[in-house]
Amino acid sequence: MADIKAGHLVAKYLKEVEKIDTVFGISGGHIESMLDGFTEYSIRTIDVRHEQAAAMMAHAYSVYTGRPGVCFLTAGPGFTNGLTGIANAYMDNVPLVVLCGRHPLRDDLKGALQEMNQIDMVKPITKWAATCYDARRIPEYMAIAFRNAATGRPGPVFLELPPDILNITIPMESAPMPAKATRNYAVVPADEELTAAADIINNAKQPLFLGGTGVGFSSCSDCLGAFVEKTGIPFMLLNYGRGELPDTHPLSIWDCGNVGLLVTLGQADVIVAAGLRFNWLFMSGDVIPAAAKVVRIDIDPREIDRNRKADAGLVGDIGSVLGRLLPLVEKKDRGEWVRTLRAASYSFIDSELKARLMASDPIHPIRLVAKIQEVVGEDALYVVDGGDTSYFGQVGLFTKQKAGVIGSASGLLGCLGTGIPFGIAAKLARPDTPVVVLNGDGSFGFNSMEFDTMVRHNIPVVVVVNNDCAWGMIKHSQEMSIGGERLQCAELGTRRYDLMVEGLGGHGEFVTKDEEIVPALRRALASGKPACVNVMTDPTVTSPATPLFYQSLKME
Amino acid sequence: MKLSLLLFILYRKLKRAVRVNRDYRSHIGMVRLKILIKTANGKRGRLFIFDRGTLSTRTGGGHQSDAALVWSDASTGFRVMASGSDEESFRAAAEGKLRVEGMAYYIQWFTDGIKLVMK
Ligand SMILES: Cc1ncc(C[n+]2csc(CCOP(=O)(O)OP(=O)(O)O)c2C)c(N)n1
Ligand SMILES: [Mg+2]
């Protein structure tokens, strides 16, 4: 009868049951036996420089692979450092499995090293949080954790594993592995709601389809493509739904940008929203015209009427709902509507479209973005992170890749610092695809030490810093509210982030002129190293996202 | 001519609202923005200058601004602006008769203010 170290059971479950190949974290004494398990079961570990980054990488790894991402944290400070990343996954509905050490059960209330009540702290930002007290039940707890993370509306889960169980040896057969990995079971919408939705869609004159993260996690590009092509509905895919169909699809309206989206929304008579929350970015539903009819599709029934009563509500996984809707909807050509909304939107973003084409001194951020697009192209993964920077990246970058342009600072937690960790996860998940992070100079600071991680693990991501020497979105917002002469904590300096990266063993480029952008990007990509292209841009430019943000907090 | 008159009346209405309309005062807050409405040839136009709770103006279409609403011709500008209809603006934009220079959001903010005053 073979024995097994209980810490190894964790790795055995990950590898053999869930087929997890990569985990993210930082070491610690409390979780040593689990770390040794990763060696035993040949699971790749990406050891980072701050636990926040580990949680963010695992989060993004799940976005790019469609399977729950896994991170490990040691007890106490490892845990607290990870909290921002866990909260971000919670707000973004991303399946993340957090495996965490804790002080020994034996030493409870004795002032043990890193003794704290982690479960109570993490509960409000997880779907499920528990401590395992019995080594034999580790596989069972792991299965519960994965099931909670992945099923229904996804989200982070937290499993606390004390040394009292990780560090003991037990007979292998006393902790049997479940026969099957976690799987999602179908949830299907009611027939009468399907008929009602099809009626609304068939009678629409100026419809618009909006897809969110639910579209991405449904991996429904075939059904979605068939649906939009049959109905002729123009669409925009947001959050982690972006790229489920290429941005270059003739019915995608990403070329109209966020401004075009708002302009179009105002004229739409039917809105089909799939796996998308009407949160502050949609002014909690207020941007949708009162007269418009709304069809909501969501895996979570509580979301259907949230912030706007739906005229038809379809509960289920987006792909399976669209598959059922497809035979009920009529084939339509809505070319005229698509041409009209495009032409109208272009008139509203005229200056932005021109700024992409013209050399500028100082460099306009949208011009920088246009040059990145020119050099790196549509077959790349882009990550955006920053305030105004996020806006320019989201509207100016286009790809054919699933989750091709993502950001988190534009999501619900609005968490700066996700760019570099997300970029690392992107490169690990799709090593043959170029990965470019567009970073604000402020946001760059949070996780730039992860360049060391990239160098150690040979992860050649190119990070382009849109360097306006400021927390730009905050600065421009303060200019509107308290006035430019009273800026507070809003400015940064001219810093050579490129030299910092060179010091860590990466490739650095410093750009101040328009004509230097393209050669610098090409050299960075060709270097085969993690690279930082530090581009000085116009500090006076702001984006439409900033006044929107300013208005959302205005109380009088 | 009709467009110039409309813009003048609009200015008077907004100027009065700055004094008497609490909601409008709150809408403009401490913002510093120059909004220009003009015809494409620059012959007609008016600049609205918001500066920390005050509003002033200049006539003509040749001023620097943070955002400009540019009409292909004065009569379209008059017709659409007098209608106050978002749909009309959308159609005009689609037909190439209306264009925004600078940030569309500032124009949206400006027209939201007009709607508050006309309410
Ligand atoms: C972790 C975190 N801290 C602070 C903020 C508040 N915040 C929102 S936007 C912003 C400025 C971002 O600056 P930068 O990354 O340089 O982008 P820019 O707006 O200059 O393009 C700040 C500080 C935040 N959203 N997240
Ligand atoms: Mg900045």
Side-chain angles (χ1 to χ4, degrees), chain B:
Chain B
M1 200 54 209
K2 271 180 6 186
L3 179 67
S4 300
L5 189 63
L6 180 89
L7 292 175
F8 176 68
I9 296 169
L10 178 61
Y11 166 69
R12 293 297 294 267
K13 277 199 181 286
L14 296 183
K15 180 81 180 166
R16 187 179 140 74
V18 172
R19 268 192 294 115
V20 302
N21 184 331
R22 249 183 99 90
D23 289 349
Y24 189 63
R25 261 212 312 276
S26 145
H27 179 74
I28 66 172
M30 286 287 113
V31 164
R32 291 173 108 165
L33 278 180
K34 290 184 188 153
I35 307 288
L36 180 66
I37 300 180
K38 65 169 184 178
T39 53
N41 62 12
K43 284 204 176 137
R44 304 238 189 289
R46 183 170 285 273
L47 183 70
F48 296 79
I49 307 164
F50 296 89
D51 190 357
R52 319 180 128 260
T54 67
L55 171 62
S56 57
T57 189
R58 304 256 186 292
T59 53
H63 307 284
Q64 284 285 335
S65 66
D66 296 295
L69 198 60
V70 187
W71 295 102
S72 58
D73 59 282
S75 67
T76 308
F78 174 79
R79 181 178 57 75
V80 177
M81 288 191 69
S83 78
S85 147
D86 286 346
E87 192 183 341
E88 289 285 333
S89 300
F90 181 81
R91 297 273 154 215
E95 288 161 13
K97 294 180 177 164
L98 160 64
R99 188 167 52 81
V100 171
E101 275 173 14
M103 237 188 338
Y105 185 84
Y106 292 149
I107 299 291
Q108 176 75 42
W109 172 85
F110 179 71
T111 49
D112 284 352
I114 299 176
K115 283 185 192 152
L116 260 181
V117 173
M118 300 300 179
K119 208 163 60 181

Side-chain angles (χ1 to χ4, degrees), chain A residues 264-281:
Chain A
T264 305
L265 265 176
Q267 298 305 311
D269 64 345
V270 167
I271 287 141
V272 183
L276 179 75
R277 288 168 288 178
F278 289 158
N279 55 35
W280 76 282
L281 292 164

Side-chain angles (χ1 to χ4, degrees), chain A residues 67 79 171 262 417 469 479 513 541:
Chain A
R67 300 273 305 123
F79 162 77
L262 291 179
C469 301
E479 284 165 355
K513 294 200 175 60
V541 171

